[in-house]
Amino acid sequence: MINSVFVMSPTGEVLIEKHYRGYISRTCCDVFWGEVQQAAHPQEVKPVLVTPKYYLIHIQRYGMFFIAVLNREVTPLLVTEFLHRVVDVFRDYFNEVSEESIKENFITVYQLMDEMMDFGIPMTTEPNVLKTMIHPPTILGRVATSMGVSDKSSLNQELPEGMMSSIWWRKKGVRYTNNEIYLDIVEEIDCSIDTNGLMVTCDVSGEILVNCKLSGMPDMTLAFTNPNIIDEVNFHPCVRLSRYERDKVMSFVPPDGRFKLASYSIDTPPQSITLPLYVKPQIHFSGQSGRVNIMVGPKSNLAGRTIEDVVITVPFTKNIATTNLTVNHGVAHFDDATKCLRWEIGKVPKEKSPSLSGGVTLVPGSETPESGPTILVDFKIVMFSSSGLKIDSLTLTGEKYKPYKGVRFVTKAGRFQVRS
């Protein structure tokens, strides 16, 4: 299985190295960093690199590189899933994943990596279970560590009771004054729109995020009105797979606290997916200059909902010399180093359509671009489902109380591209 795990900063510094099956030199990280420097962009580095002695499998999140080193062939998706779990646990413990947060919590990081894998085999990756064994860092613990004093209070000396049961993800004896459970169904749209405004490709993927504050040992059942559109589901271990395959309902005993119940993709034709906004770009070049005109607005199918956190990114070619652009809403900034325009709109107003217009000039003697750049769009809209997925019911059995239940849909832009 996995021999070693390395965590590298955006500058190539090795922050963490954890060896599970013998020591492996850091020189393997030099091979990986050489690939990063040769690539035009770090995201273009292949997820699996083959060297004469090892396989290097990595993911990139929060600007950092998480690398697993193996000396034999293993299913790559198993390794990448484990690395994603490591990052998710770090985020759950430290509220952020950054170079600073890892350096400030070295001891906790190594304690977590000890529990999450044993001799190269993934073990405990559930944050709620890990918190019963390794307590999240506190200010008092950081002070003790900085003074060279071992903070033994961060470790539980006894194995959690739930680890010995078939429902290992939920601890026993959970009690709340107010019993509540909240579901966030977050969907991302990956879409490509051509110059005529027609949809070329469109895919929707989603996650069901749960915040559970229920007493005892509740048994939940989540049913959908249209479950047939859900495809390629990846469940949390608490979901009973046989029940879902038979009845298309999610039956589970939830862990305590926050967790991801499932991730899925939508199996529907692109034409049936609802896009919440339109982007109409007109970017033309002639000679040594060009005209830019971009209009953004909500579509009529939102039923009064507001589109938030709208950002338009236009990566121009490197031969752009100067820009003269104005907007009627939001703030636009052109980065002269990267030749990238970032237009932060925020909330889209209902009384007017945000627009950006102006001109650009090219470097004298440079070649005129044959076509306009591909525009990237970011946005978020609450209580809106682009796929049309609807929840029929969320019921509880096994306990006598009636919990408060809340469900919220959120639609965000994934890789949303508009050609100009």
Side-chain angles (χ1 to χ4, degrees), residues 109-169:
V109 166
Y110 278 103
Q111 289 173 343
L112 289 170
M113 297 188 75
D114 271 332
E115 294 294 341
M116 294 183 71
M117 177 166 285
D118 185 22
F119 199 60
I121 300 174
M123 297 295 287
T124 306
T125 59
E126 180 62 43
N128 298 295
V129 178
L130 287 168
K131 286 181 179 179
T132 63
M133 297 186 287
I134 303 170
H135 303 305
T138 61
I139 296 177
L140 182 62
R142 292 193 183 101
V143 172
T145 302
S146 64
M147 296 175 63
V149 179
S150 177
D151 182 24
K152 297 182 180 179
S153 63
S154 63
L155 287 175
N156 192 348
Q157 302 300 320
E158 298 180 358
L159 190 67
E161 295 181 8
M163 292 294 292
M164 306 304 293
S165 70
S166 59
I167 309 176
W168 51 266
W169 54 84

Side-chain angles (χ1 to χ4, degrees), residues 27 44 141 220 317 363 371:
T27 53
E44 295 180 3
M220 308 297 300
T317 56
V363 175
S371 60

